[in-house]
């Protein structure tokens, strides 16, 4: 027997998604989701068309607007009956959950999504900073800012959910949906209980749009910066054409997700990339930096930029604690693996195989490039392995003066006294 759906879920499934019967039935493109995808790609292209400077100006709006809207929603939510119950449910810890591995697994995946330490966005945007920028301070501040934002936004969610639970006379725990379900089903349902729900609905989805657009800038810039690093002259000459071409490609590749069966594809990609591929890539990155390049060498590089040596605690974290935690998360994910489901739909064996293909193909370039480099190097296998584990000649400061000193005396601390920018144009 099919249960009765709330109005918001009915609208989300049947009107917004126009959900098909399954992954094998993509069932065409609704005009509204296709138009929304097109508008988002156009906005990203327009904001990126003039480079990082233009993005920086846009981010002033897209990064601050959500905080303003969240604050407005919190103030309004706090005045509603039942808001206190929602807040108490939110801030009341259940310490027994700490004994469950699943809790730590979910927390790790949340960090991967919210902070994005492995996707390349942080490294890409940081590459436009000044050479002597205090990267340690920024990394610590960004971590706590990401955590604080999540906690802060939670108050906006649970004050309104508390009011919804008060009106329906049910426990707040009943509204435990996460992800897209929380954003597009539970919270819109709760907004319907507010005075002038249309206003609060517009503000809420405007906040979601600003946050998503802000993230999209970074992820597009990752690819564009990588292309520039490989073909700098070509990208400089055809700058607008390259950006337009990539945004067009992004629109085309995003069309399957906008189809009526796109939510099944989204669920599949989200399930396998977040829980498996992302963790595996993070583990490989940590091993490469801490053990192959060397945590001590990396700390030396950071020292040259900042002017003082980071605490030795970071050496221990990079070498032992972080890899160990990622191994635990990866093994736990594999041991507790279950095939994804969505709205009662169970993915076929072909769909699951496609999901595993997505999970594997993401980190394949790392070992494949490593093997290619070993084969291209001359000498015995051990000589090749030793040579390929050394930094390339391109690993150096962008400024010519700094580069010469870096190569002549890598331990020279005077490098940090220079005030210059790295090789990227800001």
């Amino acid at each position: 027997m099919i249960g009765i759906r709330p109005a918001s879920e009915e609208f989300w499934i049947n009107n917004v998604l126009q959900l098909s019967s399954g992954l094998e039935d993509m069932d065409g493109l609704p005009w509204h989701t296709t138009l929304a995808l097109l508008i988002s790609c156009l906005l990203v292209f327009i904001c990126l068309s003039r480079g990082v400077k233009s993005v920086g100006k846009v981010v002033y709006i897209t990064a601050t607007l959500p905080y303003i809207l969240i604050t407005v929603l919190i103030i309004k939510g706090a005045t509603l009956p039942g808001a206190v119950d929602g807040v108490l449910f939110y801030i009341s810890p259940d310490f027994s959950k700490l004994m469950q591995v699943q809790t730590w697994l979910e927390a790790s995946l949340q960090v991967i999504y919210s902070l994005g330490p492995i996707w390349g966005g942080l490294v890409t945007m940081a590459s436009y900073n000044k050479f002597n920028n205090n990267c340690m301070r920024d990394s610590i501040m960004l971590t706590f800012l990401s955590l604080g934002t999540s906690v802060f936004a939670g108050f906006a969610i649970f004050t309104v959910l508390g009011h919804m639970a008060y009106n329906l006379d049910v426990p707040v725990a009943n509204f435990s949906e996460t992800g897209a379900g929380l954003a597009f089903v539970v919270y819109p349902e709760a907004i319907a209980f507010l005075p002038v729900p249309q206003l609060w609905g517009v503000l809420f989805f405007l906040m979601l749009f600003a946050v998503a657009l802000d993230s999209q800038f970074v992820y597009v810039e990752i690819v564009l910066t990588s292309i520039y690093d490989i073909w700098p002259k070509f990208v400089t000459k055809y700058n607008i054409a390259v950006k337009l071409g990539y945004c067009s490609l992004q629109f085309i590749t995003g069309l399957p997700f906008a189809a009526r069966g796109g939510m099944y594809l989204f669920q599949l990609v989200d399930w396998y990339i977040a829980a498996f591929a992302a963790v595996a890539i993070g583990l490989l990155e940590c091993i490469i930096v801490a053990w192959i390049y060397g945590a001590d060498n990396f700390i030396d590089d950071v020292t040259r930029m900042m002017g003082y040596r980071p605490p030795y605690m970071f050496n221990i974290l990079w070498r032992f604690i972080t890899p160990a935690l990622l191994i635990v998360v990866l093994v736990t994910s594999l041991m507790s693996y279950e095939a994804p489901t969505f709205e009662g739909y169970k993915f076929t064996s072909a769909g699951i195989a496609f999901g595993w293909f997505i999970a594997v193909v993401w980190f394949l370039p790392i070992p494949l490039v490593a093997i290619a480099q070993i084969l291209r190097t001359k000498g015995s296998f051990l000589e090749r392995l030793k040579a390929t584990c050394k930094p390339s000649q391109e690993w150096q400061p962008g400024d010519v003066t700094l580069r010469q000193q870096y190569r002549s005396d890598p331990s020279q601390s005077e490098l940090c006294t220079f005030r210059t920018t790295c090789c990227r144009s800001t």
Side-chain angles (χ1 to χ4, degrees):
M1 181 177 179
I2 300 176
I4 298 175
R5 288 173 172 167
S8 59
E9 185 177 0
E10 189 75 20
F11 180 80
W12 167 243
I13 296 295
N14 295 328
N15 290 71
V16 177
L17 297 179
Q18 298 182 10
L19 195 65
S20 68
S21 59
L23 181 64
E24 61 279 356
D25 179 24
M26 298 304 285
D27 198 22
L29 292 162
W31 70 268
H32 56 279
T33 55
T34 307
L35 180 62
L37 178 63
L38 177 62
I39 291 174
S40 64
C41 290
L42 283 174
L43 284 174
V44 170
F45 166 71
I46 292 171
C47 295
L48 289 173
S49 59
R50 301 193 64 181
V52 177
K53 281 188 176 181
S54 64
V55 174
K57 294 176 181 177
V58 174
V59 166
Y60 282 127
I61 299 174
T62 58
T64 56
L65 180 62
Y67 287 101
I68 297 174
L69 296 178
I70 290 172
T71 303
V72 171
L73 289 170
I74 289 176
I75 294 173
K76 178 59 184 177
T79 63
L80 300 172
V84 174
D85 295 331
V87 171
L88 290 177
F89 177 81
Y90 178 54
I91 64 176
S92 300
D94 182 1
F95 290 107
S96 64
K97 297 289 186 181
L98 296 177
M99 304 304 295
Q100 300 177 9
V101 178
Q102 188 65 25
T103 301
W104 296 97
L105 175 61
E106 294 291 341
S108 302
L109 298 181
Q110 170 63 21
V111 171
I112 289 174
Y113 269 123
S114 61
L115 184 60
I118 67 166
W119 306 114
L122 297 176
V123 176
T124 300
M125 303 313 291
S127 68
Y128 291 94
N129 281 329
K130 294 182 181 297
F131 182 81
N132 65 312
N133 180 67
N134 193 329
C135 53
M136 183 181 73
R137 177 201 61 198
D138 288 355
S139 62
I140 294 174
M141 288 180 60
L142 188 60
T143 301
F144 281 99
L145 182 62
S146 175
L147 172 65
T149 300
S150 299
V151 174
F152 184 58
F155 285 100
I157 299 292
F158 279 91
T159 52
V160 180
L161 293 184
H163 177 61
M164 181 180 178
Y166 171 83
N167 283 324
L168 297 177
D169 194 24
V170 295
V172 181
N174 283 18
F175 311 109
S176 58
E177 190 82 41
T178 59
L182 176 63
F184 298 106
V185 176
V186 177
Y187 201 75
E189 181 77 12
I191 288 175
F193 290 88
L194 297 177
V196 197
Q198 296 84 354
L199 172 63
W200 302 109
V202 169
L203 290 177
F204 175 72
F205 285 106
L206 182 62
M207 177 192 70
L208 285 184
F209 180 74
V211 170
L213 196 64
D214 206 17
S215 300
Q216 194 65 12
F217 290 154
V218 177
Y219 293 132
V220 172
E221 192 62 42
I222 295 172
V223 178
L224 294 178
T225 300
S226 301
I227 295 173
Y228 176 82
D229 287 343
I230 300 172
W231 301 293
K233 293 182 179 179
F234 176 80
V235 174
T236 302
K237 185 177 181 180
Y238 302 102
N239 184 36
I240 298 298
V242 170
K243 292 176 179 177
L244 179 61
Y246 179 70
C247 290
S248 300
L249 178 63
Q250 197 175 43
F251 170 72
I252 294 172
T253 54
L255 285 176
F257 293 94
R260 291 178 175 86
M263 196 62 185
Y264 299 108
L265 181 61
F266 170 82
Q267 188 76 10
L268 199 65
V269 171
D270 176 70
W271 188 273
Y272 286 96
I273 288 181
F276 303 107
V279 179
I281 292 172
L283 178 61
L284 286 175
E285 288 179 351
C286 203
I287 292 174
I288 290 169
V289 172
W291 290 98
I292 297 179
Y293 179 69
D296 291 331
N297 292 332
F298 193 70
I299 285 181
D300 289 340
D301 292 337
V302 174
T303 302
R304 295 185 186 95
M305 292 187 290
M306 296 194 308
Y308 61 93
R309 199 167 186 81
Y312 191 75
M313 171 190 67
F314 287 101
N315 194 310
I316 299 174
L317 287 170
W318 296 334
R319 282 184 172 180
F320 305 106
I321 297 179
T322 302
L325 290 175
L326 289 175
I327 290 173
V328 170
V329 170
L330 182 59
V331 172
T332 304
S333 299
L334 294 172
M335 291 180 63
S336 61
Y337 166 76
E338 293 180 359
T341 59
F342 181 71
E343 289 294 314
Y345 170 78
K346 295 183 178 180
F347 288 88
T348 63
S349 56
I352 295 174
F354 178 68
W356 280 112
F357 169 77
I358 294 173
V360 172
V361 77
W362 265 60
F363 64 87
L364 273 181
I366 299 176
L368 290 179
V369 170
I371 294 172
Q373 290 292 337
I374 291 175
L375 294 176
R376 216 178 316 183
T377 307
K378 297 180 180 180
S380 65
F381 176 76
L382 290 178
E383 291 173 343
R384 293 180 181 187
L385 185 62
K386 184 177 180 180
T388 52
C389 287
K390 293 181 178 179
S392 74
Q393 294 298 316
E394 297 177 359
W395 180 255
Q396 57 192 357
D399 183 85
V400 177
T401 305
L402 293 173
R403 190 183 308 164
Q404 292 173 347
Q405 296 189 36
Y406 181 83
R407 288 301 175 190
S408 62
D409 185 4
S411 64
Q412 186 172 323
S413 60
E414 286 79 4
L415 284 171
C416 61
T417 63
F418 285 86
R419 296 295 182 263
T420 185
T421 58
C422 65
C423 59
R424 304 206 187 283
S425 172
T426 57

